[in-house]
Amino acid sequence: RTRLATESKLLVNWMGRGFSYSFVGLVSVEENDVMVKFINISLAGKTQLMFIETVGYMMVGVGVIYFTLGLSCCKSVSDRARLDYTKRRNGETA
């Protein structure tokens, strides 16, 4: 874990993280479309561009999931479950 991911106010909140993932995915897909329109490429290049586009759409999908879970306040549920697990693992009573 990097310090940016654990202390950034944007990335700690799941809605912000979802927005960031979706933004990066959309930028990736849009840049990929620009590359396809303006560059004559070989079959290997097309395969690479298809991979980039697939990963871009996956990033958007993960971003939407994170944003939706953030809207439904699942981060607090996750944090509570993680704290409860840590307490039980260390032998503390609830």
Side-chain angles (χ1 to χ4, degrees):
R1 294 181 127 180
T2 63
R3 188 171 176 199
L4 175 69
T6 57
E7 294 182 12
S8 170
K9 298 296 182 197
L10 180 66
L11 296 178
V12 169
N13 184 347
W14 281 7
M15 286 192 316
R17 186 178 295 179
F19 180 78
S20 300
Y21 283 0
S22 295
F23 177 76
V24 169
L26 286 175
V27 168
S28 170
V29 169
E30 287 300 316
E31 286 297 317
N32 192 39
D33 288 344
V34 169
M35 293 289 289
V36 170
K37 290 178 185 174
F38 293 110
I39 296 177
N40 188 10
I41 51 177
S42 66
L43 179 62
K46 288 181 182 178
T47 304
Q48 292 169 351
L49 290 176
M50 191 169 36
F51 176 75
I52 292 170
E53 186 171 1
T54 303
V55 170
Y57 281 122
M58 289 170 64
M59 288 278 298
V60 171
V62 168
V64 168
I65 290 170
Y66 260 114
F67 190 83
T68 305
L69 290 174
L71 277 177
S72 59
C73 299
C74 286
K75 183 176 181 341
S76 61
V77 173
S78 172
D79 290 344
R80 238 179 304 141
R82 187 173 288 124
L83 181 64
D84 182 48
Y85 172 76
T86 304
K87 284 182 180 180
R88 284 186 288 130
R89 194 172 115 202
N90 293 335
E92 300 175 17
T93 58

